[in-house]
Every structure is written in C-alpha cells, then in structure tokens.
C-alpha cells in the first residue's frame, strides 16, 4: 500500500489554490474597520493593504520551508511540535480548537446574519436578537451538513468560489465606470487619528483578509517541483490577491468616500447599491453572502480535523468521544464541539472584535513558525529541504518583524482582547498536564 501523496500539482494549480484559499470575507467587510481606525482618512488604509500583502508574502515564503521539510498532515500544529516539542505543539492545536476556528466561524456567522438582515431591509444593530439567532442557526446548519459527509463540502466550496469572484469583478469594473472619484491617498488619517496609533489596527484588519496562506505550504508534498514552483505560487498568488484587494478598495473609494465606508456594516454592499441601485445591489450582496457561506463551510470542514487529531492522541478532555468517526467517516463529535464553541462566541454579536482576537492569537504561533525555520537551519542543517526560503535570512526577518509589530501593537492598543487570547491559549497548559498524566 502506497501512502505517499501523488506529485501531480503544477504551478497553475498551486497558484489558483493560493488565490482561492486567501480571498474570503475580509475584502468585503474589513474596509469598515480600517476606515474607522483612520477616522475616515483613506491613505493609510490603502497603504495597509500593501504592507499586509508584503508581510503575508514573506510569511508564506518562510513557512513553506517548514511545510516542505516536515511533510506531515496536521499543518502548523505538527511543525511546531517537531521544532519545539509536544507541549507547544499541543498548545497550537488547543488554541486553534478553542479559539481560532470557533472564533473565526462565529465572526463570519455574525457578519453573514447582519448581511441577511440588511438584504431584507432590517437594521441589524436594532435587531441584535435576530442577528444572534440567524448566526447560531447558520453555524449549526453548516455543522450538520459537514457531519453528513465531506463530498457536499466540495460542492459548496465550488459554488462559493464563483460567489466571491462575481461581486469582486463586477464592483471593480463598474465602480470605476460609474464612480465619481473621491480622495484615495490624502489625507492619510482623519482628524483625531495618528498614523502610529492606527497602523496596528489597520494591519490586523488586512491580515485577517489575507489569512489562509498557511495552508499553501501543505501543497509541497503534491507538487512536481516544489523547490521551483512553490515560491512562484506563493509570491504570484498572494501578489494577485494583493492587486485585487488594492484595486477593489480603489473602486470602493471611487464610489463612496472613506468616511461613509467607515459607517457601513458591509462596504461592498453599500458600493454595489450605489452603482446598481437597490435591486442590483441586492444581487451583488447575494454573491457576497454565498462567499461568506463558503468561508464558513471551509472553516467548519478544516477546524474539527485539528480537534480530532488532538483527540486521537488523547490530549483533549473527552478524547474518546471526540476521536470517533460516524458512519460517513467524519469526526462528527469534533464538528459539534467546534460548532458549539462558535455559537458561544457568536453571542458577542461582534465581527471585528472576534477577528482581531483570532488574528492576534494565531500570529503568535505564525511568528514561532518563522523563528522555527531559523532554528531548524541551525539544529538540523542536513535535513532534506525540497524548498528553501529565498533571500534567507532577510525574508524570514521581515516576516518575524511584521508579525511582532502586530502582536506588540495589539498588546498595547487592544490589551483586553490580547490578554483574552493569551489566557484562553494558556488554559491549554494545565489541560495538557492532566491529559498527559491520564495517558
């Protein structure tokens, strides 16, 4: 029996995967958080999309070296375990299980619910009970779909890809044709805001929109020539995403000023309505909803696999139940665990708060992964590396510095959110001690 992955992926398949994985909900909703942070100043927001893209490219290029050198299933949790030991590896998986995946799912469900209410003509802020009900029902419904089997997930992802590309293309083309032009780079920030004070906040917003790049390294084992094609796929794919993000944000600003985008729950929907009128705006909004639904499905498809992996190792409480597969061959108990946690997070009714929490926490572990590349180079120089990060150590240094800036800035400017993420993560230490003893 041959368990090795078939090396069938070329550059074009890898490129399209990068683009498909990274473009999600952030590009449609995050301009609101960005222009709120800049007090309606457009310039810093546009610059943040470029800086966020550069940090993401260096992050992808750096983490891919670890992915290629440690071609095991499990992603970042496995890399960190190999580099730093079992306890830190467990903490990575724990953080993803109790915080990153459920928190991100909750954020997407909340914005999905708010968008549905706006589509139906209700004010979401005045109907928070309806927002919470729709968000939780959506989470539980997608969880149920994923317990049936994984084949349906693939169909949803295909539909969602079309769903997110159509509004992007339509807004870009018609935004420039029908928009009347607004300031794009001046002023950098609005009255009362400072560049130094707002930079961290706008970066954490753009990094949410760029998230997903960590999954790209997993392709290394299936690529015909990862040494040559993986860096091209990462740089090319994220550069295309960055170009799309910059162009669509220019289109947003061309149609509506930054001060109005800051006041809109869904800037993309506001812009679509300005361009196409009420009916056309609603049609584009449906496309955005399909995209968010697909992102929700993607996180509920992948997140429970982390919980399941930890349960198989018997490092989670109730591991016996969480490690069970149902008749469809899916870890249904792990899916329900993530769905229930996500439903609890959704009770906050917050999109930006939840995404700030998850991005801050996941970036701590991303930075550990980048440092791990340097650590592995020193400790295991003879390790087979099908792909090496170019311009070493400059690229890893940029990724580390960029990540540390975001982490430290959040600690200083959004201390409660940051501490919440750290505490939830550190709860994993006593959990690991207890489950290790029980084993």
């Amino acid at each position: 029996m041959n368990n090795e992955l078939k090396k069938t992926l070329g550059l074009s398949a890898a490129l399209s995967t990068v683009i498909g994985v990274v473009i999600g909900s952030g590009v449609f909703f995050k301009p609101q958080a960005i222009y709120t942070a800049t007090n309606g100043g457009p310039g810093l927001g546009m610059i943040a999309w470029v800086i966020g893209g550069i940090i993401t490219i260096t992050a992808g290029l750096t983490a891919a070296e670890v992915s290629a050198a440690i071609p095991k299933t499990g992603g970042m949790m496995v890399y960190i375990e190999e580099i730093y030991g079992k306890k830190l590896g467990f903490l990575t998986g724990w953080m993803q299980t109790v915080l990153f995946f459920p928190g991100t799912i909750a954020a997407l469900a909340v914005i999905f619910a708010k968008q549905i209410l706006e589509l139906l003509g209700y004010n979401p802020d005045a109907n928070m009970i309806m927002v919470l009900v729709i968000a939780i029902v959506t989470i539980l419904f997608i969880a149920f779909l994923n317990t049936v089997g994984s084949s349906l997930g693939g169909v949803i992802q295909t539909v969602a890809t079309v769903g997110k590309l159509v509004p992007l293309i339509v807004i870009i083309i018609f935004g420039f044709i029908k928009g009347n032009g607004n300031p794009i780079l001046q002023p950098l920030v609005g009255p009362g805001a400072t560049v130094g004070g707002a930079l961290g906040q706008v970066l954490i917003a753009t990094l949410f929109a760029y998230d997903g790049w960590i999954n790209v390294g997993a392709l290394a084992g299936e690529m015909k020539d990862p040494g040559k094609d993986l860096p091209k796929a990462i740089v090319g794919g994220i550069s295309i995403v960055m170009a799309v993000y910059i162009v669509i944000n220019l289109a947003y600003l061309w149609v509506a000023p930054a001060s109005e985008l800051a006041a809109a729950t869904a800037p993309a929907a506001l812009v679509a309505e300005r361009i196409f009128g009420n009916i056309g705006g609603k049609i584009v909004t449906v496309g955005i909803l399909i995209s968010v639904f697909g992102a929700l499905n993607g996180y509920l498809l992948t997140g429970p696999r982390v919980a399941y992996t930890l349960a198989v190792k018997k490092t989670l409480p109730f591991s016996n139940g969480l490690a069970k597969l149902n008749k469809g061959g899916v870890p249904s108990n792990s899916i329900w665990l993530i769905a229930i946690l996500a439903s609890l997070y959704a009770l906050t009714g917050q999109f930006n708060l939840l995404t700030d929490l998850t991005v801050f926490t996941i970036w701590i572990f991303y930075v550990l992964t980048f440092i791990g590349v340097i650590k592995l180079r020193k400790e295991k120089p003879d390790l087979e590396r099908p792909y090496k990060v170019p311009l070493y150590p400059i690229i890893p240094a940029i990724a580390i510095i960029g990540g540390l800036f975001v982490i430290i800035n959040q600690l200083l400017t959004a201390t409660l959110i940051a501490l919440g993420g750290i505490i939830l993560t550190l709860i994993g230490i006593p959990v690991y001690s207890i489950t290790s003893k029980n084993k």
Side-chain angles (χ1 to χ4, degrees):
M1 185 177 169
N2 185 9
N3 285 329
E4 282 198 10
L5 293 164
K6 290 184 172 63
K7 295 187 181 292
T8 54
L9 290 184
L11 179 58
S12 58
L15 254 177
S16 59
T17 306
V18 176
I19 296 163
V21 163
V22 174
I23 295 178
S25 61
V27 67
F28 300 119
F29 301 103
K30 275 299 174 183
Q32 186 256 346
I34 288 167
Y35 297 122
T36 300
T38 65
N39 269 2
L44 187 64
M46 290 307 305
I47 292 166
W49 287 108
V50 178
I51 298 172
I54 291 166
I55 293 172
T56 304
I57 289 170
T58 59
L61 287 172
T62 304
E65 178 167 314
V66 185
S67 306
I70 307 169
K72 294 181 182 177
T73 307
M76 185 166 62
M77 176 173 66
V78 175
Y79 314 148
I80 286 183
E81 183 178 317
E82 287 276 329
I83 299 165
Y84 299 101
K86 286 186 176 178
K87 187 180 279 189
L88 206 50
F90 168 79
L91 267 191
T92 310
W94 168 265
M95 175 275 302
Q96 290 175 306
T97 300
V98 301
L99 178 55
F100 178 73
F101 282 108
T104 305
I105 290 161
L108 292 171
V110 165
I111 206 76
F112 182 81
K114 287 184 175 182
Q115 196 64 68
I116 281 182
L117 285 180
E118 287 202 352
L119 190 66
L120 297 173
Y122 293 97
N123 177 358
D125 295 329
N127 294 278
M128 277 310 293
I129 299 295
M130 287 172 73
V131 168
L132 300 182
V133 169
I134 295 168
I136 292 168
V137 167
T138 303
I139 292 166
L140 298 178
F141 174 65
I142 298 175
F144 169 72
L145 291 181
N146 276 286
T147 58
V148 175
S150 53
S151 57
L152 185 62
V155 176
I156 293 170
Q157 288 311 109
T158 307
V159 174
T161 301
V162 176
K164 68 187 168 193
L165 291 179
V166 169
L168 281 170
I169 294 162
V170 165
I171 289 172
I172 287 170
I173 293 169
F174 290 95
F176 288 115
I177 294 171
K178 294 198 167 187
N180 51 11
N182 292 294
I184 283 165
L185 288 174
Q186 289 296 331
L188 282 177
V189 291
T194 63
V195 172
L199 184 59
Q201 287 172 278
V202 294
L203 269 183
I204 209 155
T206 58
L207 289 175
F208 171 76
Y210 282 113
D211 201 45
W213 56 266
I214 190 76
N215 304 309
V216 175
L219 296 174
E222 295 169 77
M223 293 185 74
K224 295 172 192 170
D225 188 355
K228 194 174 77 176
D229 288 345
L230 190 59
K232 286 181 186 173
I234 292 167
V235 175
I238 297 170
S239 296
I240 291 167
V241 171
M242 184 162 73
V244 169
Y245 283 1
I246 290 166
V247 172
I248 195 163
N249 276 278
L250 288 172
Y252 291 158
L253 289 169
W254 204 248
V255 174
S259 55
E260 286 185 27
L261 296 173
T265 309
L270 168 79
V271 169
E273 196 169 313
R274 289 275 169 87
I275 299 169
F276 303 108
N278 197 28
I279 301 296
K282 285 188 172 174
I283 292 166
V284 172
T285 301
V286 169
I288 295 168
L289 281 168
I290 293 168
S291 173
V292 178
F293 191 88
L296 267 166
N297 181 68
Y299 279 102
L300 263 163
L301 189 68
T302 52
R305 268 65 184 176
V306 175
Y308 169 74
T309 305
L310 291 176
V312 167
K313 293 179 178 178
K314 299 204 179 299
T315 51
L316 278 183
F318 313 109
S319 283
N320 289 341
L322 293 170
K324 280 182 182 170
L325 299 175
N326 65 9
K327 288 176 184 175
V330 229
S332 52
N333 292 339
S334 290
I335 291 170
W336 288 118
L337 168 70
I338 299 290
I340 290 162
L341 288 173
S343 299
L344 292 172
Y345 281 117
L347 292 173
T348 61
Q350 299 290 318
F351 173 67
N352 289 320
L353 182 144
L354 288 171
T355 53
D356 286 357
L357 176 66
T358 57
V359 171
F360 164 78
T361 318
I362 197 83
W363 267 86
I364 294 171
F365 290 87
Y366 287 164
V367 170
L368 283 173
T369 307
F370 309 149
I371 295 167
V373 171
I374 298 166
K375 194 169 183 284
L376 273 182
R377 286 265 187 127
K378 286 182 178 175
E379 291 175 3
K380 296 184 180 178
D382 299 328
L383 182 71
E384 189 188 341
R385 291 173 173 82
Y387 155 81
K388 286 186 174 183
V389 57
L391 300 176
Y392 179 90
I394 297 165
I395 298 284
I398 295 169
I400 292 165
I401 292 163
L404 285 175
F405 172 79
V406 171
I407 292 164
I408 293 164
N409 188 277
Q410 277 294 98
L411 274 166
L412 296 174
T413 59
T415 310
L416 283 178
I417 294 173
L419 287 177
I422 291 167
I423 290 164
L424 281 167
T425 303
L426 292 179
I427 289 170
I429 295 174
V431 170
Y432 181 77
S433 300
I434 294 162
T435 53
S436 298
K437 281 177 188 170
N438 291 345
K439 272 205 296 182

